[in-house]
Amino acid sequence: MKQNGGVMSFAGSTALVTGASKGIGAAYARELASRGADVVLVARSADTLERLAEELRSAHGVRVEVIAADLSDRDGPCQVDDELRRRGIEVDLLVNNAGAGSIGPFFERPFDAQLANVDLNITGLVTLTHRLGARMRERGGGGIINLSSTAAFQPLAYQAVYAATKAFVLSFSEALAEELAGTGVRVMAAHPGAVATGFLDGTTAKISHAADSPATIAARTLDDFARGRHASYPGSWFYRVQTWAGRVLPRRRAAALGAVLNRKLGFDHVSDVEPAR
Ligand SMILES: NC(=O)c1ccc[n+]([C@@H]2O[C@H](COP(=O)([O-])OP(=O)(O)OC[C@H]3O[C@@H](n4cnc5c(N)ncnc54)[C@H](OP(=O)(O)O)[C@@H]3O)[C@@H](O)[C@H]2O)c1
């Protein structure tokens, strides 16, 4: 990634986006390709990724590679890295976007799904960062953007596991950014509020009507990274304001407030629904 008057340019670099088949990840892939980056698309849905790859190649003339992998599986991130080496691809920018979160009371939602969220949001992210980040450090340059959330800043009842995984991503990203200072490798966490994606599909929970668009979130995150920011709040201003409560209130009060807000959203009464056909 080249510097251009203090602002980084993505043109000519290679970016790997996880969770690129839909939602915010697909928006990152589109935005990066439109800014001239070659892109590696990673998710489980190979056919959807191939369709997006074709769209990006013909719209922007960039190189687009597809690697289908389950990142909640311990071997998934390693398979991605092995495939990158086999194809001779060096990644300049890793966008750890893939993530999932169960909504509803902890003891009333399927446990395996919640554990898979931990595997994806934490173990998958840490493993890919370790594998790809090590080579960036050796080369003396590169970038890592980790998708956290405004959910990272306080405990959230009825999203207990999800919010805790995002708090991990926040803490991990900030610590790693310090460790890597001066190496040429930058780490930035991004904290969107609600975004209009299929994140809650398959449940009775609904994304807020005030949700931002994935395209806006992607463009603002990349602008923040290009300007050298350590954190990105790419959503509407009121989502950033919501993160202040967790910083100024005693933790018990912040947790109680989170529970009240999530009850207002009906997250204490979530069940599964048949997927739309
Ligand atoms: N939407 C929001 O309101 C919101 C707010 C703040 C932060 N975020 C964060 O933003 C990120 C993207 O969320 P989103 O709303 O775009 O979600 P989404 O629409 O549900 O998309 C999730 C993406 O992750 C991929 N994925 C899911 N499980 C995977 C697995 N086991 N292995 C590999 N890929 C997997 C999915 O593709 P496949 O199904 O094809 O694998 C899909 O491409 C997440 O980290 C989320 O926590 C979202």
Side-chain angles (χ1 to χ4, degrees), residues 71-74 77 98-102 106 110-127 159-166 168-169:
L71 298 175
S72 66
D73 186 305
R74 275 283 158 113
S102 185
F106 176 68
F111 180 65
D112 287 351
Q114 299 192 63
L115 215 47
N117 293 163
V118 176
D119 293 336
L120 176 64
N121 299 4
I122 296 182
T123 312
L125 180 145
V126 170
T127 310
Q159 292 180 279
V161 170
Y162 176 69
T165 65
K166 293 301 176 178
F168 177 97
V169 174

Side-chain angles (χ1 to χ4, degrees), residues 26-260:
Y28 280 125
R30 289 194 174 95
E31 189 63 34
L32 283 160
S34 78
R35 296 183 189 204
D38 294 335
V39 194
V40 183
L41 309 175
V42 177
R44 293 166 302 180
S45 314
D47 292 351
T48 315
L49 292 179
E50 290 293 354
R51 280 196 294 278
L52 177 59
E54 210 34 64
E55 173 199 317
L56 300 183
R57 285 182 201 115
S58 57
H60 305 293
V62 294
R63 178 181 177 189
V64 185
E65 298 277 337
V66 166
I67 303 177
D70 184 344
L71 298 175
S72 66
D73 186 305
R74 275 283 158 113
D75 294 333
C78 305
Q79 285 163 4
V80 172
D81 188 30
D82 292 347
E83 199 52 34
L84 289 170
R85 288 171 189 269
R86 199 184 65 73
R87 297 186 202 180
I89 300 169
E90 286 292 1
V91 172
D92 303 301
L93 176 67
L94 167 62
V95 184
N96 274 314
N97 163 81
S102 185
I103 310 277
F106 176 68
F107 289 105
E108 293 170 25
R109 302 299 289 151
F111 180 65
D112 287 351
Q114 299 192 63
L115 215 47
N117 293 163
V118 176
D119 293 336
L120 176 64
N121 299 4
I122 296 182
T123 312
L125 180 145
V126 170
T127 310
L128 262 189
T129 300
H130 194 261
R131 288 268 184 148
L132 274 56
R135 286 210 294 289
M136 290 178 193
R137 201 173 61 129
E138 275 167 28
R139 292 199 307 272
I144 300 170
I145 298 176
N146 290 331
L147 259 286
S148 176
S149 167
T150 51
F153 293 84
Q154 67 288 297
L156 278 181
Y158 316 111
Q159 292 180 279
V161 170
Y162 176 69
T165 65
K166 293 301 176 178
F168 177 97
V169 174
L170 166 64
S171 172
F172 173 64
S173 303
E174 289 178 340
L176 200 58
E178 291 301 321
E179 281 191 32
L180 291 174
T183 65
V185 183
R186 288 204 298 114
V187 181
M188 183 188 84
H191 308 291
V195 188
T197 69
F199 191 72
L200 303 180
D201 283 0
T203 73
T204 53
K206 297 265 179 293
I207 292 272
S208 156
H209 60 273
D212 292 300
S213 80
T216 302
I217 295 300
R220 288 185 183 161
T221 308
L222 295 177
D223 287 346
D224 283 340
F225 188 78
R227 289 189 193 109
R229 301 245 161 94
H230 291 266
S232 174
Y233 297 85
S236 303
W237 62 269
F238 49 85
Y239 291 122
R240 184 171 192 174
V241 170
Q242 279 176 15
T243 67
W244 296 350
R247 305 177 209 214
V248 296
L249 291 177
R251 288 192 68 78
R252 176 77 204 280
R253 286 207 182 281
L257 181 63
V260 168

